[in-house]
Each structure stands twice: as C-alpha cells, then as structure tokens.
Amino acid sequence: VQELLELAADRWLKELSTAETPPELLAEILELDLPRQLAVTGALMGADLYLQRGDYSETFDLIERIDRRYPTHHLRPEAGRLLVEAGLALSELESGFWSSNRDHAFQALEYSSIHYPLTPGGDLVLRRLAEMYEEDSLWYIAIARHEELVANFPASDLVPFSLARIPHLLLASIESPEYDRGALLNARDGLAKWLRDYAGHEVSEEVRLDLADAMVRLAQSFAVRWPLVE
C-alpha cells in the first residue's frame, strides 16, 4: 500500500509540474501525510510557482512552513535559492517606511541570512539588509550585517564595499565630537587601511572624504576635551 501511495503521489506531482498549476494546491501537499521526500518536493514546487507568479511573501511563508515541518529536508539548497530571490524582490517592492512589503522583506532576508547563511547570493542578502537598516538609521545593525558579509563571503566582490561602509556608518553613528573618540579612531584606522588595500576601487573617493571627515572630527574632539588656555 505504501509503495502504491508513493508511486501515485510521484505521478501526481509530475502531472502538476507545470506553470499553470495553482501553487496553493501544491502548498497543501504538506498536510497530506505523504512521505517526507515527496511532501517537500511538492511543496517546494509550489514555492517556485509562487515566485514565478510574483507572490514573494507567499514564497517565503511556504518555505518557512516546509522548514518547520522538515528542518533538515533534502532540498535546502533549492529552498535557499528561492528565499534569496523572493527576499531581494520583496525589498525592491517597498513603498514606504511602513510598507507591508518592507516588513516582509526584512523577515524573508533575515530568515535567509540566519537559516541559509552560506547560500549563493547570501552576500547580496546581507548587503541589502545593511542598506535597509542604514535607511532606518540603525547604524550598528547595518554594521553587523556588513561584518557578516565579510566573514561569510570573503571572496565576494562586495567585500570592499562593506569594508568601506563599516567606518562610514561608525561616523554616521557619532552625534557629537566630544563623544565616542574611540569610534572615531576606529573609523580613521579602518578607512586608512581600506585605502592601502583597495586603492583605485570605485568608491575610493567616498572613502577619502570619510577619512577627511574622521580627521576633522578627531581634531574637534581634541579641542573640546583639551581647550587651549590663554
């Protein structure tokens, strides 16, 4: 009976593997008590169809359901790929600070970075998260995402950009010259090292401007702490 069930389910999935199949039908396969491999295969087909249809939130929600039920399933690489695509697409649909698309983008991208940290395209996920947190002036969370990118994807072409952005965000986080002199020093040292390591990179001019900013602020900090006595 079990063999016949699996054979029938496999044949049914092959019949449903077309773009015309409603992804909602495949999503419900998780509730049919089928063997794990067939259930995951069918549900992930549904997630792919949601993605093709432009229903990015549904793609994320279905993959999350699959993971909750089968956390070590055999199609994690494919699930990671779909998550990266859905999360990045959602982040481009945001239409304002309170947009539901923005909330779903944060959820999908963070879920991808936590549960699928080394998936190809994960560096794009971390960079996009950093950009979104920077837009919200959440400087230290943005810095953390850039640091994760550097640590998890050392060969990525995005590493120089992240290494330049970290001291830039440190500078953005400092509100007054008399405070956070240690952060100013860290930013200055990081920017100087970056210019030694990546001379000629496309963001070199921005880094030079940041370094000049750090030096000016350090001088202001010194003047505030130790004013000249006439």
Side-chain angles (χ1 to χ4, degrees), residues 204-218:
S204 294
E205 186 57 32
E206 296 172 31
V207 174
R208 290 190 186 93
L209 291 173
D210 283 340
L211 180 57
D213 181 29
M215 298 297 289
V216 169
R217 292 210 225 175
L218 279 168

Side-chain angles (χ1 to χ4, degrees), residues 121-187:
D123 53 342
L124 297 173
V125 166
L126 290 168
R127 171 168 153 169
R128 185 67 184 118
L129 278 169
E131 289 173 344
M132 293 171 71
Y133 284 122
E134 182 178 343
E135 290 165 6
D136 295 346
S137 299
L138 297 171
W139 313 119
Y140 288 102
I141 303 179
I143 287 171
R145 296 300 170 269
H146 281 300
E147 289 174 340
E148 288 174 38
L149 190 158
V150 173
N152 292 346
F153 299 93
S156 170
D157 292 339
L158 301 180
V159 165
F161 176 84
S162 283
L163 289 174
R165 210 65 187 164
I166 290 168
H168 174 87
L169 295 172
L170 271 177
L171 292 173
S173 72
I174 301 169
E175 298 180 356
S176 180
E178 67 265 26
Y179 300 116
D180 294 323
R181 185 171 173 82
L184 284 171
L185 291 169
N186 287 337

Side-chain angles (χ1 to χ4, degrees), residues 67-112:
D67 287 350
R68 280 199 305 268
R69 187 151 187 166
Y70 304 106
T72 58
H73 64 80
H74 67 296
L75 292 179
R76 286 184 60 80
E78 175 65 8
R81 179 188 69 80
L82 295 177
L83 268 175
V84 167
E85 291 189 36
L88 291 173
L90 268 172
S91 74
E92 298 301 329
L93 289 177
E94 61 178 271
S95 56
F97 187 82
W98 298 108
S99 166
S100 61
N101 287 329
R102 183 183 180 84
D103 291 340
H104 291 153
F106 269 122
Q107 293 169 14
L109 292 172
E110 284 289 7
Y111 185 89
S112 175

